[in-house]
Amino acid sequence: MNPTDLMQDCKPTPLWWDHVPRPVLPDARLPATVDVLVIGAGYTGLHAALQTARGGRSTLVIDAEDAGWGCSTRNGGQVSTSIKPTYDDLARRHGAQRAFDILREGQQSLAWIADFIAKEGIDCDFGQVGRFHAAHNAAQYEALAAKVAHQPKGLEVRAHMVARSEQRSELGSDAYWGGVVYEQHCSMHPARYHQGLLERVLAAGAQVTPRCPASAIDKQGQQFQVRTARGTLLARNVVVATNGYTGKLTPWLQRRVIPIGSYMIATEPLPDGMMDRLIPKNRIVSDTRKVVYYYRSSPDRQRILFGGRVSHRETDPRVSGPKLHADMVKLFPELASVRISHSWCGLVAYTFDELMHLGQHDGLHYAMGYCGAGVGTASYFGMRIGQQVLGLQEGCTALDGLAFQTRPLYTGNPWFLAPSVAYYRWRDNRPV
Ligand SMILES: Cc1cc2nc3c(=O)[nH]c(=O)nc-3n(C[C@H](O)[C@H](O)[C@H](O)COP(=O)(O)OP(=O)(O)OC[C@H]3O[C@@H](n4cnc5c(N)ncnc54)[C@H](O)[C@@H]3O)c2cc1C
């Protein structure tokens, strides 16, 4: 099918926004002073705000766009433990105990979000469906098998290998070399989750003001004076929760996160019976490529949601849509004649050590850098940074105090991304 036919009637917005339109919030004036100002109304910001509002602090959340406009309503809704470096990497860098604690905290974030959604009664199609993590070559299959067989003591997760000969029980594709099922990984509807969270933040008494970009922060004695598009206010504490959209408002943070575009498409509804062949167990799926593909079925099992990084440079979702479709068809040839109904993208934040970071700099609190994941960890570390604002002991995490690295001459424009992606793509495709 040619790109024009493929993209006929395609919306350049997330499928999720069809089900949960961007929230309309009261057009209230900003208060002159507030205990806590949170900048960014995604998962990080709202979870921080939920803690401070329930902790009795007057709390204002502002967003440059609509609440949840960033990644928090654009993502694939795949929930995992989301710590990228391995135990050996972390132990080399930070010692065995710190490595253990960091990985443990990632595992806790997954258990915690499941618990949070259940306790709060948020209706967001949350389920422990398990992840099929597919090996893109034989060497990767062996590496996955070794990883599952030799899990660090005390950090074991429920996982089982699926050989290539059995792969069709997990996935309607022969493009992989088998894989591993991580049984505890979950899926959800990201915008329904965001909406439920937003409602709880409002119910806790916080004000959430959209279309209100912050443009300057100045220290004034014990407080911060923050200039926004809707006026200036004083805040005792400020939480910066801007992740991939971190900009010149906070240059120190901007130098430490690497914004990277992540792209997704949704297909039109599939013919009857096709989903049961393609993703029979309703798992979330990813693969071992460095330039990873991630996909799943929509909660109603009508459509495939397929994500990845398809261009070296940032591009328009109308351009990325056909490229993602072509990649998807390499894995699932029977999707060749299925059109794309939605194509969208968002900016995630990588860091130089592939870990998220939270803490304080010059008195400003922050949590960010979830390295392409973050449904679970942005929620969890947003909650923890809110507790840190309240001065609570339970807000302490294994990541506290880790150096938040930058690189000489890096100011927030990742010029090195295009050659890096090209290199990783070559490495992913090279025969082994
Ligand atoms: C296409 C895509 C697929 C993804 N899939 C997954 C997945 O399946 N699983 C997973 O775990 N993670 C996934 N992610 C990543 C995950 O969604 C993010 O890590 C997470 O949502 C980050 O939440 P956040 O609240 O920190 O940031 P965001 O939700 O991005 O929110 C940051 C907000 O800050 C606001 N902001 C920025 N500057 C200012 C300013 N000066 N003033 C006011 N507001 C400002 C922005 O408008 C934005 O709304 C995906 C991301 C994308 C883009």
Side-chain angles (χ1 to χ4, degrees):
M1 201 182 299
N2 71 47
T4 316
D5 287 346
L6 196 63
M7 300 287 284
Q8 208 180 27
D9 303 327
C10 175
K11 295 186 186 174
T13 48
L15 169 72
W16 314 119
W17 293 7
D18 285 10
H19 312 148
V20 186
R22 294 304 71 231
V24 179
L25 289 159
D27 203 12
R29 289 166 70 97
L30 293 192
T33 62
V34 75
D35 291 334
V36 183
L37 172 69
V38 178
I39 303 174
Y43 302 145
T44 304
L46 290 185
H47 270 287
L50 191 60
Q51 292 299 314
T52 59
R54 286 184 176 171
R57 303 284 169 87
S58 63
T59 300
L60 169 68
V61 185
I62 59 171
D63 200 290
E65 306 283 345
D66 284 327
W69 173 90
C71 291
S72 297
T73 60
R74 295 167 184 264
N75 62 73
Q78 303 200 358
V79 200
S80 58
T81 54
S82 303
I83 304 286
K84 288 224 162 6
T86 62
Y87 175 83
D88 290 344
D89 284 344
L90 289 171
R92 226 177 354 260
R93 287 192 240 155
H94 304 294
Q97 186 60 48
R98 194 74 181 270
F100 182 90
D101 292 345
I102 290 172
L103 290 168
R104 190 57 176 270
E105 193 116 23
Q107 294 181 352
Q108 270 169 15
S109 74
L110 179 58
W112 177 85
I113 192 173
D115 197 45
F116 173 82
I117 288 169
K119 275 200 187 121
E120 297 287 336
I122 297 179
D123 181 8
C124 61
D125 303 302
F126 188 84
Q128 194 177 70
V129 294
R131 171 190 303 278
F132 182 60
H133 189 51
H136 73 284
N137 59 39
Q140 287 298 327
Y141 182 82
E142 294 309 322
L144 285 177
K147 202 170 154 196
V148 168
H150 305 290
Q151 300 191 53
K153 201 165 160 29
L155 291 170
E156 296 88 350
V157 293
R158 291 206 316 265
H160 63 267
M161 296 303 295
V162 178
R164 195 177 193 190
S165 56
E166 303 295 319
Q167 186 165 281
R168 287 254 162 190
S169 67
E170 292 291 342
L171 207 61
S173 171
D174 299 317
Y176 293 112
W177 295 71
V180 58
V181 173
Y182 291 112
E183 296 164 23
Q184 285 151 307
H185 291 192
C186 302
S187 74
M188 62 149 77
H189 188 305
R192 283 201 213 290
Y193 170 57
H194 182 271
Q195 182 64 30
L197 180 58
L198 176 64
E199 284 163 12
R200 274 133 194 96
V201 169
L202 294 170
Q207 179 177 333
V208 180
T209 301
R211 290 177 295 287
C212 182
S215 53
I217 307 175
D218 294 305
K219 191 104 204 236
Q220 285 219 340
Q222 295 305 304
Q223 307 196 88
F224 294 95
Q225 186 183 59
V226 182
R227 199 168 347 121
T228 80
R230 290 167 176 247
T232 299
L233 71 148
L234 287 173
R236 183 139 54 101
N237 294 111
V238 174
V239 178
V240 184
T242 50
N243 203 45
Y245 300 89
T246 301
K248 58 183 191 303
L249 174 71
T250 50
W252 188 85
L253 290 168
Q254 191 182 17
R255 288 198 61 210
R256 283 161 175 78
V257 290
I258 307 160
I260 299 187
S262 193
Y263 298 84
M264 287 200 84
I265 51 172
T267 64
E268 62 185 0
L270 303 185
D272 280 353
M274 194 187 271
M275 187 63 82
D276 291 339
R277 285 197 301 281
L278 299 187
I279 308 185
K281 294 185 180 154
N282 206 25
R283 304 252 194 240
I284 53 174
V285 188
S286 52
D287 66 29
T288 51
R289 288 183 175 85
K290 183 79 178 169
V291 188
V292 61
Y293 295 124
Y294 53 92
Y295 43 98
R296 56 174 284 187
S297 80
S298 54
D300 60 7
R301 288 189 61 74
Q302 294 287 306
R303 305 160 189 268
I304 296 272
L305 301 170
F306 190 86
R309 186 179 168 81
V310 277
S311 76
H312 304 160
R313 296 180 192 288
E314 301 318 325
T315 188
D316 189 306
R318 276 165 272 238
V319 176
S320 59
K323 291 187 178 180
L324 269 181
H325 186 271
D327 288 359
M328 180 176 74
V329 169
K330 280 187 202 144
L331 303 176
F332 301 105
E334 58 184 309
L335 290 175
S337 58
V338 174
R339 288 199 171 87
I340 304 172
S341 63
H342 300 72
S343 175
W344 70 96
C345 69
L347 289 178
V348 299
Y350 271 69
T351 60
F352 288 101
D353 62 359
E354 291 196 299
L355 286 172
M356 58 290 288
H357 287 265
L358 75 165
Q360 275 188 65
H361 178 73
D362 283 347
L364 292 177
H365 288 82
Y366 62 85
M368 59 182 63
Y370 308 106
C371 297
V375 175
T377 46
S379 301
Y380 176 84
F381 288 108
M383 176 270 293
R384 290 293 184 219
I385 200 67
Q387 291 175 336
Q388 290 189 14
V389 170
L390 295 174
L392 299 176
Q393 185 59 31
E394 67 225 64
C396 295
T397 79
L399 289 126
D400 294 352
L402 283 187
F404 199 170
Q405 300 173 14
T406 181
R407 292 288 182 269
L409 303 181
Y410 178 66
T411 55
N413 171 26
W415 53 267
F416 43 82
L417 220 53
S420 309
V421 172
Y423 166 70
Y424 286 132
R425 195 180 290 282
W426 168 80
R427 222 180 59 174
D428 284 342
N429 293 330
R430 140 193 89 142
V432 280

